[in-house]
Amino acid sequence: DSGVTQTPKHLITATGQRVTLRCSPRSGDLSVYWYQQSLDQGLQFLIQYYNGEERAKGNILERFSAQQFPDLHSELNLSSLELGDSALYFCASSVEGPASSYNEQFFGPGTRLTVL
Amino acid sequence: AQSVTQLDSHVSVSEGTPVLLRCNYSSSYSPSLFWYVQHPNKGLQLLLKYTSAATLVKGINGFEAEFKKSETSFHLTKPSAHMSDAAEYFCVVSEYGNKLVFGAGTILRVKS
């Protein structure tokens, strides 16, 4: 158990709908990352938040947005859903350090989103 | 731009025989490199990491990897495969601190 929790575990919805995925980082971790794992694109970095502020952006669609709250949990909002958004969405957390160093990222179990 | 190429999409070995999962990387700077494992319906677990210290890195469950700058490789090895090693393995590079770039993954099958 990594200490990172994600809810819900599974989500089934229809095209055009909007969903919210939730992530609670490990105790003490200030950074939260979101990743998408799909069959055609593999594992891709979406976005990083550090202590409530957006820190880095990857291949995140404009229909997607995220935020990190004062208690450090994070939410990933996916809107106007398309069939191609079906994927496993992972959250990870780390203790932030200097930009030149690496802090191990601990991954949650993921949320499997199915868009019908 | 940083990238990672995992040379085999599937590897099949017999239990008790050595494992070799190959990974080449591309990076403009001195990278940090990692191997993650994903068991079916589970999250990602860090196996080992290289962050410019020793070039031979030992990880969990008997895995190790060697960073070879001249070959831009970071292959993962294990002397003796166990049935519980069957999973998908990802080679990962990080260049500017925390953004991770994943390879396409290698599915390891272990035959009894």
Side-chain angles (χ1 to χ4, degrees):
Chain A
D1 184 1
S2 67
V4 178
T5 60
Q6 290 187 248
T7 56
K9 202 168 183 179
H10 301 277
L11 200 48
I12 300 175
T13 187
T15 54
Q17 295 298 305
R18 182 179 189 275
V19 297
T20 298
L21 313 183
R22 183 190 169 101
C23 167
S24 292
R26 293 187 322 152
S27 177
D29 284 359
L30 299 179
S31 268
V32 169
Y33 311 79
W34 287 97
Y35 293 86
Q36 179 195 58
Q37 184 178 31
S38 62
L39 283 174
D40 52 346
Q41 300 284 338
L43 254 163
Q44 290 194 100
F45 167 73
L46 294 178
I47 197 163
Q48 177 200 359
Y49 275 81
Y50 169 68
N51 204 21
E53 302 278 333
E54 183 183 303
R55 176 60 66 93
K57 225 170 184 175
N59 299 323
I60 188 166
L61 299 172
E62 283 193 16
R63 300 183 285 108
F64 296 1
S65 64
Q67 52 185 329
Q68 187 180 26
F69 295 86
D71 67 352
L72 300 177
H73 91 271
S74 177
E75 292 181 356
L76 179 68
N77 300 296
L78 315 176
S79 61
S80 303
L81 284 167
E82 301 175 0
L83 295 177
D85 297 327
S86 295
L88 193 51
Y89 291 84
F90 285 109
C91 167
S93 74
S94 74
V95 174
E96 181 72 359
S100 61
S101 70
Y102 172 78
N103 295 292
E104 179 179 343
Q105 293 184 25
F106 294 85
F107 282 78
T111 293
R112 184 167 295 282
L113 173 66
T114 302
V115 182
L116 302 174
Chain B
Q2 52 193 329
S3 66
V4 168
T5 302
Q6 292 184 242
L7 300 170
D8 307 293
S9 59
H10 293 79
V11 169
S12 184
V13 301
S14 297
E15 192 174 21
T17 65
V19 175
L20 170 63
L21 306 184
R22 299 182 295 162
C23 171
N24 286 347
Y25 71 90
S26 172
S27 173
S28 303
Y29 302 96
S30 181
S32 295
L33 292 159
F34 319 88
W35 279 96
Y36 277 84
V37 62
Q38 184 178 28
H39 287 93
N41 300 313
K42 294 284 178 70
L44 291 151
Q45 182 183 22
L46 180 67
L47 274 181
L48 50 81
K49 63 182 178 184
Y50 165 78
T51 53
S52 73
T55 56
L56 183 61
V57 182
K58 293 189 185 300
I60 61 172
N61 301 334
F63 284 95
E64 62 181 41
E66 187 172 7
F67 173 72
K68 291 187 176 180
K69 189 174 181 179
S70 60
E71 298 175 12
T72 62
S73 70
F74 190 57
H75 301 334
L76 181 71
T77 60
K78 182 173 180 177
S80 176
H82 191 272
M83 295 298 289
S84 61
D85 294 329
E88 187 163 16
Y89 292 78
F90 294 93
C91 183
V92 183
V93 65
S94 174
E95 210 172 62
Y96 299 116
N98 293 320
K99 177 187 171 183
L100 300 183
V101 176
F102 284 78
T106 298
I107 294 174
L108 175 65
R109 179 182 169 218
V110 182
K111 298 175 288 185
S112 58

